[in-house]
Amino acid sequence: MILKNISVDCVIFGFRNDKLNVLLWQAEPELLEKFLTTKEEYEQIKIIFEKNPALRSDNYWGLIGTHLPSEEDLDGYAKKVLQTATGLDEVYLKQFKTFGAINRVPHLRALTVAYYALINPDYHDLKLSPIAKAVKWFDINNLPDVIFDVKEIIENALKKLREEVQYHPAGFHLLPEKFTLTQLQTMYEVILDKKLDTRNFRKKIQNMGLLIDTNQKQTHVAHRAAKLYSFDVNIYRHLVEEGLNFRI
Amino acid sequence: MILKNISVDCVIFGFRNDKLNVLLWQAEPELLEKFLTTKEEYEQIKIIFEKNPALRSDNYWGLIGTHLPSEEDLDGYAKKVLQTATGLDEVYLKQFKTFGAINRVPHLRALTVAYYALINPDYHDLKLSPIAKAVKWFDINNLPDVIFDVKEIIENALKKLREEVQYHPAGFHLLPEKFTLTQLQTMYEVILDKKLDTRNFRKKIQNMGLLIDTNQKQTHVAHRAAKLYSFDVNIYRHLVEEGLNFRI
DNA sequence: CCAAAAGTGTTAGACCTACACCCATGA
DNA sequence: TCATGGGTGTAGGTCTAACACTTTTGG
C-alpha cells in the first residue's frame, strides 16, 4: 500500500559538457503502473494526479520520485526508484533533507524525503526510463518550470553538494572512469562556482594520492592530449573514514 | 489530524560536568493530550501506545518527539515539540536524517524525521516538561535501555554533530553564555573523542576572532581563576556564511 | 605553422605540530 | 604552603597563494 503522505524524490546530478545538469521527468500514472506492485497503489497514485493537474502538464517538470509503499525501506526504495528511472545500479546516492512545509503540495499533505545522486554520464542511457512520459537533462543554471517546491529542493541539493565536495571526495562520482585533470578542475569550478588556480589545484589533488595514472592520453583533440587518470577506491574509502579536508 | 506514519524526534544534546548528555523521556498519552489539539489526535496516539507496550514501560526511554499533525509545518513542529518539552525557545535545532527502515517500529509503519538540538545547560530547567511522565539527562556513553531504533538515531546524531563541529562553530551553543577556554576545549575533546593540545587549541581558537573577552574571571575555584569569554554572534554568522574550516 | 589546451616550479607567508614550565587561587 | 588547574612561546615543517611560460597535438 502506498503511504500517501510520504514521497521519495531524487535530485540526479550529472556533469556533461562542462556543465552541471539535473535529470527531471514528466511522470504519468499509466506508465508508473508497471512499477507499482498492487492495483490499489495505482488507484491512489491516479487520484493524486487527478488532484494536481500540473503533474500532467507538458510544461512542468518534476523530480524523479514517487510515493513510498508501506512495504519498502526508505533508502532501498530511493535506490529502486533511481534504478528504474535511469537503469543504473551502482550510484552514489545520499539522503540530504526531508521537506515538510504544510502547503508544499496543493490538496495533499505530503512530506518528501529528498536524495541526491551523482551520475557519471558515460553510463547513462536515457532510453532506459520505462516509467516516465519524458526524461531530460537540464542545466542547473537554466531550469525549466517545475512543479511544487522542486526548485527549492534542487537549490538545497546543490547547497549540500557544494558542502560535501569540500569535505569528501564525492565529486569523482560525477566523472567518467577515466578523466583528465582539467575535467576534474572544471567540475569543482562549476560546483563551487569559482575559478581555481590550475597549478595549485593540480599540486593539491596529486598530493592526496587519490589519482591513478592510467598511462593513457586523450586522442583526436586539436591540442596537446591530456593524460587520463582514474581514482583509487581504496584510498578514497580511507579518506572518507578519516574525514578529510578537501577544500580546494 | 495526526499523520500516523510520520513522527518528529529530537536528540537533545547538553554539555554538563565535562560530559556530553542526551535528554530522553518517558511519554504518556494522558499527558500528551494537553499538547494535542484535537480529541481525534489523542485517540490515535492512544492506539499507538496500546500497540507498543515498551512505550509505557518504566525501563525504556525514548527520544522527545511525537507524531506530526497534518496542520503543522515539519520544522515548526520540531521547534514546538522541543519548546514544550524543555521550555526553551531559542535553541539550535537541526534536521539531520529521516529514518525509514521498514520494521523500525513494531506494528506500525512510521518514518521519523530526526533533529538534533544543542542546549546550553544554564537555561535548562527540567521541571518544565508538562507532557512527559519522566525526563532525564543521560551520559552519551552510558545510555539506558531505549525503545525502537533510538540507539541508532542517537549514534547518527552524534556522528553528524561530530562532523558539524569540525566545519561550523556550532559547538558554542552547548556552552553557557560565559565560558572558559578549558570548557570549550573539553567540549571539543568530548565530542571528537580525542585529546587536544591546549596551547595549539588556544592559539587556533583565538585567531578565529570569535571570542569576546568579558574581563571577568571565575570565582571560588581552588586554583588560578580562568578568564571568561563569550562568543561574537556577528563573526559567527559571517563564518557560517563563508563556510569555514574549523578542524581542531 | 597556428590555435588550443596541457603541463609545470618558485617564493613568501600562513598555519600546524610538538613540546615544558610558571602563575594564580582557595583551602 | 600546597594542590589544582590556568596560562603561555618557539622552532621546524607543511600547506597555501600568487604568478607566466613552454609543450604537445591536430588541422
Side-chain angles (χ1 to χ4, degrees):
Chain A
M1 200 189 86
I2 289 279
L3 301 175
K4 71 182 198 311
N5 297 309
I6 304 165
S7 64
V8 171
D9 284 299
C10 299
V11 178
I12 303 174
F13 288 112
F15 180 69
R16 346 184 68 188
N17 307 123
D18 295 350
K19 299 237 149 98
L20 189 63
N21 292 326
V22 182
L23 193 63
L24 300 177
W25 78 358
Q26 292 175 325
E28 210 167 44
E30 291 73 17
L31 294 168
L32 270 173
E33 188 181 7
K34 298 175 207 153
F35 181 60
L36 301 170
T37 16
T38 69
K39 187 81 185 162
E40 193 191 358
E41 285 175 10
Y42 172 60
E43 293 301 331
Q44 288 176 63
I45 287 282
K46 243 176 84 173
I47 291 167
I48 291 165
F49 272 75
E50 273 157 22
K51 286 191 175 159
N52 289 283
L55 281 169
R56 300 200 88 126
S57 155
D58 282 344
N59 301 319
Y60 286 84
W61 295 78
L63 289 173
I64 289 167
T66 76
H67 285 258
L68 179 68
S70 61
E71 68 281 3
E72 295 271 358
D73 274 341
L74 182 60
D75 287 344
Y77 193 66
K79 208 169 154 186
K80 196 162 163 183
V81 165
L82 183 67
Q83 199 203 93
T84 308
T86 66
L88 291 178
D89 217 359
E90 295 291 321
V91 166
Y92 184 84
L93 182 65
K94 185 169 164 146
Q95 187 199 300
F96 70 94
K97 187 169 177 180
T98 296
F99 294 81
I102 201 160
N103 289 317
R104 54 171 294 277
V105 174
H107 313 300
L108 178 69
R109 180 66 207 278
L111 309 202
T112 192
V113 183
Y115 290 74
Y116 65 76
L118 303 183
I119 283 194
N120 159 351
D122 274 9
Y123 295 109
H124 186 68
D125 179 351
L126 279 186
K127 279 173 238 148
L128 294 162
S129 292
I131 59 175
K133 191 163 64 174
V135 179
K136 200 172 157 190
W137 288 106
F138 292 92
D139 183 343
I140 192 92
N141 294 311
N142 196 15
L143 294 175
D145 288 333
V146 291
I147 54 173
F148 310 155
D149 56 349
V150 164
K151 190 138 191 276
E152 188 193 342
I153 297 175
I154 294 173
E155 278 163 7
N156 268 269
L158 181 58
K159 207 173 128 204
K160 287 273 180 179
L161 174 63
R162 202 168 271 168
E163 271 177 43
E164 193 182 8
V165 297
Q166 293 186 65
Y167 306 118
H168 295 273
F172 288 91
H173 296 284
L174 284 165
L175 295 175
E177 203 172 333
K178 293 172 187 175
F179 53 86
T180 69
L181 294 183
T182 304
Q183 281 178 293
L184 186 62
Q185 182 178 340
T186 308
M187 183 198 73
Y188 277 102
E189 289 179 340
V190 168
I191 294 178
L192 301 176
D193 196 23
K194 69 176 177 202
K195 283 279 160 212
L196 303 172
D197 179 282
T198 302
R199 278 177 287 191
N200 293 338
F201 177 82
R202 284 168 181 240
K203 254 177 289 173
K204 175 142 193 184
I205 222 81
Q206 276 163 331
N207 279 339
M208 282 176 190
L210 267 171
L211 298 177
I212 299 170
D213 186 342
T214 65
N215 293 312
Q216 289 176 273
K217 288 184 171 193
Q218 289 179 313
T219 48
H220 312 299
V221 286
H223 55 78
R224 179 169 175 177
K227 289 175 91 167
L228 293 169
Y229 293 86
S230 59
F231 86 107
D232 188 320
V233 182
N234 292 320
I235 295 187
Y236 167 88
R237 279 206 208 97
H238 177 250
L239 287 177
V240 170
E241 291 279 308
E242 292 276 297
L244 75 167
N245 180 4
F246 216 77
R247 298 203 85 178
I248 299 236
Chain B
M1 202 190 82
I2 290 278
L3 301 174
K4 71 180 198 311
N5 298 309
I6 303 165
S7 63
V8 171
D9 283 299
C10 299
V11 178
I12 303 175
F13 288 113
F15 180 70
R16 345 185 69 191
N17 306 123
D18 296 352
K19 298 236 149 98
L20 190 62
N21 292 326
V22 182
L23 192 63
L24 300 178
W25 77 358
Q26 291 175 325
E28 208 167 46
E30 291 72 18
L31 295 168
L32 269 172
E33 188 179 7
K34 300 176 205 153
F35 180 62
L36 301 170
T37 16
T38 68
K39 186 82 185 158
E40 193 190 359
E41 283 175 13
Y42 171 60
E43 293 299 332
Q44 288 176 65
I45 289 281
K46 243 176 82 173
I47 291 167
I48 291 165
F49 272 74
E50 274 157 21
K51 285 192 175 159
N52 290 282
L55 281 169
R56 300 199 88 127
S57 156
D58 281 344
N59 302 318
Y60 286 84
W61 295 79
L63 289 172
I64 289 169
T66 76
H67 284 259
L68 179 69
S70 61
E71 67 281 3
E72 296 271 359
D73 274 341
L74 183 60
D75 287 343
Y77 193 66
K79 210 170 151 184
K80 198 162 161 183
V81 164
L82 183 65
Q83 202 204 92
T84 308
T86 66
L88 291 177
D89 216 0
E90 295 289 322
V91 167
Y92 184 83
L93 182 64
K94 186 168 161 148
Q95 189 200 299
F96 71 94
K97 186 167 175 182
T98 296
F99 293 81
I102 202 162
N103 288 318
R104 56 172 291 278
V105 175
H107 312 299
L108 178 70
R109 180 67 207 278
L111 308 202
T112 193
V113 184
Y115 290 74
Y116 65 77
L118 303 184
I119 283 194
N120 161 350
D122 273 10
Y123 295 111
H124 187 67
D125 179 352
L126 279 185
K127 279 173 239 147
L128 295 160
S129 292
I131 60 175
K133 191 165 59 174
V135 179
K136 198 173 159 192
W137 287 107
F138 291 92
D139 182 344
I140 190 94
N141 294 312
N142 195 13
L143 294 174
D145 287 334
V146 292
I147 55 172
F148 309 156
D149 55 349
V150 164
K151 189 137 193 275
E152 188 192 342
I153 297 175
I154 294 174
E155 277 162 8
N156 268 269
L158 180 59
K159 207 172 129 203
K160 287 273 180 180
L161 174 63
R162 201 168 272 169
E163 271 177 42
E164 193 182 10
V165 297
Q166 292 186 65
Y167 307 119
H168 295 273
F172 288 91
H173 296 285
L174 284 166
L175 295 175
E177 204 171 331
K178 294 172 185 173
F179 52 86
T180 68
L181 294 183
T182 304
Q183 282 179 292
L184 186 62
Q185 183 179 341
T186 308
M187 184 199 73
Y188 277 103
E189 289 180 340
V190 169
I191 294 178
L192 301 177
D193 195 24
K194 68 176 176 200
K195 283 279 159 213
L196 302 171
D197 178 283
T198 303
R199 276 179 285 195
N200 294 337
F201 177 82
R202 285 167 180 241
K203 256 177 289 172
K204 176 140 193 183
I205 222 83
Q206 276 163 331
N207 280 339
M208 281 176 188
L210 266 172
L211 297 178
I212 298 171
D213 187 342
T214 64
N215 293 312
Q216 290 175 271
K217 288 186 171 190
Q218 288 178 315
T219 48
H220 311 300
V221 287
H223 53 78
R224 178 170 176 176
K227 291 176 88 168
L228 292 169
Y229 293 87
S230 60
F231 87 106
D232 188 321
V233 181
N234 292 320
I235 296 187
Y236 167 87
R237 280 207 207 96
H238 177 249
L239 287 178
V240 171
E241 290 280 308
E242 292 276 298
L244 74 168
N245 181 4
F246 215 76
R247 298 204 85 180
I248 299 233

